Amino acid sequence: MKEAEGANAKSGLDRGRNQPMGRGKCNLAGWWQNELGSEMLLFNANSKGNFSGEYYTAVSSAQKPIKTSPLRGSQHLDEDGKCTFGFTVNWSKFSDSTTVFVGQRFEDHRGQEVLKTGWLLRHKVNSLHDDWQATRVGTNIFTRLNRKEEGKASPTAPLSA
Ligand code: BTN
């Protein structure tokens, strides 16, 4: 119980409802899922807007099995709920590549939160000659996941510094 309360405080999340525990309209903390089925857990941003999280991608072009991967991000703390943000996912647990996401939070006509993002995925290539084919670009749309702490990605604590 003590541990769960600590994790909640750090993520800024009421985990049972996957809802932010206050702190403005741009609290991104919580579980999110995109249209590929990838899931991420964002922890509460600090007073400067810096945050960490964990990402479980549903897809990969790497040879090794997918593993939950750490992310680091930065967001604006606007009060209008339309903050922009960016984060980097380091896939080093199973891939040599790196992805950076940029995005903005919105609410749709039903009041549901949505993160509209674009990303750049940099693959490792063996030579300068192959640099031209190293970067992929795409978009992802994330919506909040209503899930409890249990689950396949289930990270329970923010990343250490
Ligand atoms: C790799 O394939 O080398 C690592 C995994 C990359 C997953 C990408 S990141 C952009 C896109 N959105 C996702 O949720 N997954 C893919």
Side-chain angles (χ1 to χ4, degrees), residues 26-145:
C26 257
N27 189 344
L28 304 177
W31 286 98
W32 298 88
Q33 183 177 52
N34 69 23
E35 73 278 19
L36 296 170
S38 299
E39 297 178 7
M40 65 177 178
L41 175 59
L42 301 184
F43 296 111
N44 207 32
N46 66 17
S47 59
K48 292 181 178 172
N50 298 322
F51 62 89
S52 62
E54 302 205 349
Y55 200 107
Y56 190 89
T57 180
V59 297
S60 169
S61 55
Q63 301 299 313
K64 294 182 182 172
I66 293 169
K67 292 194 173 169
T68 302
S69 300
L71 69 83
R72 290 278 186 184
S74 178
Q75 66 163 103
H76 286 261
L77 299 169
D78 308 349
E79 289 299 323
D80 66 357
K82 295 175 189 158
C83 59
T84 62
F85 59 86
F87 60 85
T88 301
V89 189
N90 180 327
W91 307 108
S92 61
K93 289 182 178 176
F94 66 96
S95 169
D96 292 326
S97 60
T98 301
T99 303
V100 291
F101 287 81
V102 289
Q104 186 172 350
R105 177 192 181 277
F106 295 99
E107 287 174 21
D108 68 15
H109 61 287
R110 291 181 178 146
Q112 298 294 306
E113 292 177 88
V114 56
L115 305 181
K116 296 279 282 185
T117 72
W119 52 261
L120 289 172
L121 169 57
R122 176 71 192 201
H123 285 284
K124 185 178 183 180
V125 289
N126 282 329
S127 68
L128 199 51
H129 181 74
D130 290 330
D131 177 68
W132 66 271
Q133 60 178 330
T135 306
R136 292 182 189 168
V137 60
T139 59
N140 281 141
I141 302 171
F142 292 85
T143 51
R144 277 201 189 269
L145 255 182

